[in-house]
């Protein structure tokens, strides 16, 4: 039975082979990892069923530019190419364009989880999101995805400007939820 754990947007650092990639490859892997999570949520599938980690590493190493290039990557089948191809290529392009990631140096407990303050903020944000989604009659991920919540919990912005600086938060979401998010973070 698959267990839904809180999504960690920095979790790509735990993928086997990430440290063997070039910095550009690591940046691509990060974007593929985020793309896979968003698509898995959209399709209501466990991420590993959508795209395997070894396939994401292979894509990051090869840096495909076209669907034909992507077809050459081991682990990409025709159905994945049809369903995910354009999104995978967009993730590769984003990874090539974004600043290179740095390995995390966050305080963690012995089990590899985020520190207790981050976990408390994440839990408070999830509760807020559940209530907001229930009030709107939508899926919680429609409000904000788990990766956005974890980023908010880690960065703990304390002003509208700091919140706006978080690239994962769309302007419409910032407008609609910004004040509420700041209140939740202050109280957590």
């Amino acid at each position: 039975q698959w267990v839904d754990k809180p999504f960690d947007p920095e979790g790509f650092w735990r993928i086997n082979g990430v440290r063997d990639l070039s910095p550009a490859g690591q940046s691509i892997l990060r974007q593929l990892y985020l793309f896979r999570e968003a698509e898995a949520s959209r399709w209501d599938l466990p991420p590993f069923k959508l795209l395997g980690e070894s396939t994401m590493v292979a894509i990051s190493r090869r840096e495909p530019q076209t669907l034909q290039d992507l077809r050459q990557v081991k682990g990409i089948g025709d159905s994945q190419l049809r369903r995910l191809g354009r999104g995978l290529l967009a993730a590769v392009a984003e990874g090539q364009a974004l600043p290179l990631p740095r390995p995390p140096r966050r305080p963690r407990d012995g089990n590899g989880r985020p520190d207790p303050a981050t976990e408390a903020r994440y839990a408070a944000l999830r509760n807020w999101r559940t209530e907001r989604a229930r009030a709107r009659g939508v899926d919680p991920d429609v409000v904000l995805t788990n990766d956005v919540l974890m980023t908010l919990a880690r960065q703990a912005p304390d002003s509208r400007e700091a919140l706006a600086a978080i690239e994962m938060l769309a302007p419409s979401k910032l407008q609609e939820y910004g004040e509420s998010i700041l209140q939740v973070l202050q109280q957590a």
Side-chain angles (χ1 to χ4, degrees), residues 24-68:
Q26 291 173 344
S27 185
I28 291 168
L29 183 60
R30 174 183 54 191
Q31 295 311 117
L32 290 169
Y33 182 76
L34 295 173
F35 169 76
R36 180 182 74 162
E37 174 66 19
E39 285 298 297
S41 178
R42 191 165 77 89
W43 291 91
D44 195 26
L45 287 171
F48 70 89
K49 290 217 177 202
L50 199 64
L51 191 65
E53 291 181 352
S54 61
T55 303
M56 291 192 306
V57 170
I59 292 169
S60 301
R61 191 170 280 124
R62 188 173 278 228
E63 300 186 30
Q65 302 297 306
T66 67
L67 289 173
Q68 190 59 37

Side-chain angles (χ1 to χ4, degrees), residues 86-121:
R86 296 200 186 287
L88 290 171
L89 292 175
V92 168
E94 286 173 22
Q96 291 169 326
L98 288 172
L100 301 177
R102 279 188 267 169
R105 289 191 209 118
R106 291 188 286 286
R108 294 182 170 269
D109 69 12
N111 297 319
R113 291 189 303 258
D115 62 87
T118 298
E119 284 186 343
R121 287 189 296 268

Side-chain angles (χ1 to χ4, degrees), residues 166-175:
I166 296 176
E167 294 175 4
M168 297 175 78
L169 198 58
S172 61
K173 304 280 185 174
L174 177 64
Q175 179 67 34

Side-chain angles (χ1 to χ4, degrees), residues 6 107 109 113-129 149-156 181-188:
D109 69 12
R113 291 189 303 258
D115 62 87
T118 298
E119 284 186 343
R121 287 189 296 268
Y122 181 77
L125 286 165
R126 276 182 65 103
N127 291 336
W128 165 82
R129 178 185 68 176
L149 294 184
M150 183 55 80
T151 299
L152 291 167
R154 284 209 168 101
Q155 294 186 14
I181 291 169
L182 290 172
Q183 287 175 2
V184 170
L185 289 171
Q186 287 170 0
Q187 294 168 2

